[in-house]
Amino acid sequence: MMRFLLSVGIAVLAYSVGLAQSITSVIDSVRQQYAPDGRVALFQVTLDSAGTLTGKTNLPEAKQALLARLNARRMPVREAIQVLPAPSLEDKTYAVVTVSVANLRSNPRDAAELATQALLGTPLRVWDKDRGWYQVQTPDGYIAWVDFGGFERMNKTQFEAWEQTSKLIYTQPFGFCYSKPDRESQTVSDLVAGNLLTLVGTTKKFYEVRYPDGRTGFVGRAEAQPYTDWKASAAATEASLTQAARRLMGIPYLWGGTSTKGMDCSGFTKTVYALNGTMLARDASQQVHQGTLVPTPDHDFSQLRPGDLLFFGTPATPDKPERVVHVGMWLGNGEFIHASGHIRVASLDPKAPHFNEYEWKRFLRAKRMR
């Protein structure tokens, strides 16, 4: 009798393990379809030891697809999957950055890796909350965590009202907003290129502005432009991209940085294009999927034009996929500019004194983004 019960128990256990593996396989297939890149989509769903689906997602359609597939396979499960935005946010599921550069981290704590940055005036979608940290999504789709001091939460009505205001864009690498139309007055905050403020009025030498959190101040007219004027003239041309890139020379490398306070390789290329009215994806491994391929057979760079992006890394092998780990921008004459220690110019011409053999050896391909 004991042997019989033991064999039954083993069979039940094997069935349970097999069922759990099958359910996990379905979860993985849904994740691959709806959220293959966890940097831009949330589908954090698992099967717990009690046989309940738990986790969070900002994709209600993914949750529905998962439950439908499990039902079709006759795999009944309990589910406690939370669809974001989290209820604790109430109706304030939108936000706008209120500091010159907000640091967005991979996890909700100060010691977490810097994932990316968002500039003053950047609109955000808010998905979740953990103590004083909020999980947000930037306009380029990147999802990360920002602390409460870096942005102003809004409901949809407030957010739409802010979006409809006339804007001013700061165009210099660095500067300040002042409490009065006087450079000797108290500063309201620092500013960096790409910052957006509401344009309230104009004096002879200053623009009067308002921050998303209601603060007001004055910005020098020589340092900024009405956003509509800037947008109408912004164009990612060879000349404008080269000029923007060279203006950032010497800015230090910062992992996760996308601003003139510090930037990593893809943050640099993203910033250069953003300052010319074009949005790129956040990371090099994402940017490589944008644009049009430029032929570079056997390291022949003759077809490249200034502004083209160069991607570096490890090519695919039968055992491992390709890894894109670095990006720079072509300047012409064998030279490219990239973030490596700081923003610097290097050459892919073996005869040049500043030839970068390391990057030459790991060059993968080039893409034209305009």
Side-chain angles (χ1 to χ4, degrees):
M1 184 68 177
M2 288 296 295
R3 289 183 179 179
F4 173 75
L5 292 175
L6 179 60
S7 63
V8 170
I10 292 173
V12 170
L13 177 62
Y15 174 79
S16 299
V17 171
L19 179 61
Q21 291 175 339
S22 297
I23 293 173
T24 299
S25 178
V26 175
I27 294 172
D28 291 340
S29 70
V30 171
R31 180 182 295 109
Q32 185 59 38
Q33 178 181 352
Y34 289 90
D37 187 343
R39 293 168 293 186
V40 297
L42 293 169
F43 188 74
Q44 300 165 343
V45 176
T46 58
L47 181 70
D48 69 13
S49 59
T52 301
L53 293 174
T54 64
K56 301 177 180 181
T57 181
N58 67 336
L59 305 170
E61 64 274 19
K63 175 182 175 178
Q64 294 168 5
L66 173 61
L67 298 179
R69 291 184 193 183
L70 291 174
N71 184 59
R73 290 167 174 76
R74 296 184 179 180
M75 298 177 181
V77 293
R78 295 181 296 275
E79 68 91 3
I81 302 171
Q82 183 182 75
V83 176
L84 303 175
S88 60
L89 298 172
E90 298 179 338
D91 64 342
K92 291 190 174 182
T93 58
Y94 298 86
V96 181
V97 176
T98 56
V99 293
S100 63
V101 179
N103 293 322
L104 278 59
R105 301 192 177 276
S106 57
N107 290 295
R109 61 180 188 273
D110 288 312
E113 175 187 57
L114 181 64
T116 190
Q117 294 177 322
L119 304 183
L120 172 63
T122 299
L124 304 171
R125 188 70 199 275
V126 187
W127 293 117
D128 205 356
K129 179 183 179 181
D130 186 339
R131 296 163 292 127
W133 291 83
Y134 293 82
Q135 191 172 39
V136 299
Q137 189 165 23
T138 59
D140 59 14
Y142 221 78
I143 298 173
W145 293 85
V146 62
D147 69 77
F148 69 94
F151 67 106
E152 180 77 6
R153 285 176 59 207
M154 303 176 180
N155 59 36
K156 188 173 183 180
T157 300
Q158 294 168 326
F159 178 75
E160 290 177 344
W162 180 86
E163 282 208 313
Q164 291 170 7
T165 63
S166 298
K167 302 293 192 304
L168 183 80
I169 184 169
Y170 194 76
T171 56
Q172 298 302 302
F174 307 98
F176 294 94
C177 176
Y178 301 92
S179 59
K180 298 178 181 179
D182 179 357
R183 294 183 184 278
E184 299 301 318
S185 65
Q186 174 65 53
T187 56
V188 178
S189 80
D190 68 314
L191 298 171
V192 301
N195 282 175
L196 289 174
L197 294 154
T198 293
L199 178 58
V200 177
T202 306
T203 69
K204 185 176 181 180
K205 295 183 179 180
F206 288 86
Y207 291 111
E208 184 178 1
V209 298
R210 183 171 61 251
Y211 287 70
D213 57 9
R215 288 175 295 165
T216 58
F218 295 84
V219 177
R221 289 186 62 177
E223 303 169 24
Q225 278 185 277
Y227 181 77
T228 52
D229 295 347
W230 174 84
K231 187 66 176 177
S233 61
T237 66
E238 294 180 13
S240 65
L241 291 169
T242 299
Q243 181 183 35
R246 288 190 177 278
R247 288 190 71 193
L248 303 178
M249 283 282 285
I251 289 177
Y253 181 94
L254 175 65
W255 177 270
T258 61
S259 73
T260 55
K261 290 188 175 182
M263 54 190 73
D264 58 25
C265 64
S266 56
F268 168 65
T269 52
K270 178 178 174 62
T271 297
V272 170
Y273 269 82
L275 294 177
N276 287 280
T278 299
M279 182 181 292
L280 297 184
R282 171 61 186 91
D283 293 339
S285 59
Q286 297 169 315
Q287 293 176 6
V288 73
H289 298 298
Q290 297 180 261
T292 305
L293 183 68
V294 182
T296 53
D298 299 321
H299 288 78
D300 177 1
F301 304 111
S302 60
Q303 295 188 53
L304 293 182
R305 302 297 306 168
D308 292 345
L309 297 189
L310 310 178
F311 295 93
F312 307 87
T314 306
T317 68
D319 302 320
K320 296 181 180 179
E322 176 185 78
R323 290 188 68 240
V324 177
V325 299
H326 190 58
V327 60
M329 194 188 87
W330 188 251
L331 295 174
N333 298 318
E335 294 184 328
F336 70 104
I337 185 169
H338 65 147
S340 178
H342 57 80
I343 307 303
R344 65 175 74 215
V345 173
S347 177
L348 293 179
D349 180 357
K351 298 178 182 179
H354 53 315
F355 171 56
N356 191 320
E357 183 179 9
Y358 177 71
E359 300 299 357
W360 187 91
K361 286 182 176 179
R362 65 175 188 164
F363 171 75
L364 294 173
R365 57 187 173 277
K367 301 294 284 289
R368 186 158 295 156
M369 301 293 171
R370 58 198 189 285

